[in-house]
Amino acid sequence: MSVEEEVMRLPKVEKLRLMEALWSDLTSIGDGFESPSWHEAALHETEGRYKSGEEQRVDWAEAKRRLRSHS
């Protein structure tokens, strides 16, 4: 069984503990990870749309709702 399959079988509370442990490990790495070059360009594009009024802030709950409605 793959690791992904094993994780999918875990209870929700164990998945959350695993996610927290993974996040803690990933954030402790420091500068060992670089975002892809397109990411900075995408952030600048979004910032430009926000400053010009084309883009609006959305709280996290609303963002999740919108993302889930597109899947």
Side-chain angles (χ1 to χ4, degrees):
M1 182 181 314
S2 72
V3 172
E4 292 85 358
E5 290 170 326
E6 289 182 45
V7 168
M8 298 311 282
R9 297 179 77 174
L10 291 172
K12 190 176 214 173
V13 70
E14 291 301 319
K15 288 177 185 177
L16 290 170
R17 284 188 186 128
L18 178 58
M19 184 175 68
E20 289 173 354
L22 288 169
W23 184 254
S24 178
D25 180 64
L26 288 170
T27 57
S28 71
I29 293 171
D31 58 12
F33 176 79
E34 284 189 37
S35 293
S37 58
W38 62 264
H39 192 244
E40 184 176 4
L43 290 173
H44 286 296
E45 288 174 22
T46 302
E47 181 180 36
R49 287 193 308 271
Y50 177 73
K51 286 181 177 179
S52 71
E54 297 173 61
E55 199 73 42
Q56 301 297 314
R57 286 186 187 201
V58 176
D59 67 40
W60 183 234
E62 174 64 13
K64 288 190 294 186
R65 187 193 66 73
R66 289 182 188 183
L67 289 168
R68 289 178 178 147
S69 72
H70 290 318
S71 54

